[in-house]
Amino acid sequence: MPDQADIDAALTRLRAEGYTDAANDQQLYGELTRAAACYEAADGADSPMPRHWSFATDAWAPGSPAENAATAAAFRVLDAERLGRAS
């Protein structure tokens, strides 16, 4: 399980890559949750892009298992924030 510092770093990276509040608020069909699941299933930097990846092909960038776990957690945080803004 990633620690909070790793998750925060992944959140910073994802936001810099364009996963902003405004962009995330447009994701109404589970795209962020699917992205988290894709990274949870990735076992290393050479993991192939899953068929159910919701974003651009070049946005798929797995790393080490620890980095993938942090990225998955960060996608879940982004989706929780999106849901919080929607309520």
Side-chain angles (χ1 to χ4, degrees):
M1 177 174 212
D3 65 21
Q4 190 61 47
D6 293 333
I7 296 169
D8 290 343
L11 279 166
T12 298
R13 180 178 47 77
L14 288 175
R15 288 182 173 125
E17 291 173 1
Y19 297 94
T20 62
D21 290 351
N24 295 342
D25 288 349
Q26 302 302 309
Q27 308 306 322
L28 303 176
Y29 302 103
E31 295 91 344
L32 296 168
T33 298
R34 279 197 306 278
C38 290
Y39 273 94
E40 287 167 348
D43 58 4
D46 60 346
S47 295
M49 185 179 67
R51 232 183 352 218
H52 57 279
W53 176 248
S54 300
F55 300 104
T57 302
D58 63 348
W60 175 247
S64 71
E67 291 167 330
N68 293 339
T71 300
F75 270 116
R76 293 203 182 277
V77 168
L78 293 174
D79 201 34
E81 290 174 351
R82 179 193 66 80
L83 290 170
R85 288 189 300 276
S87 61

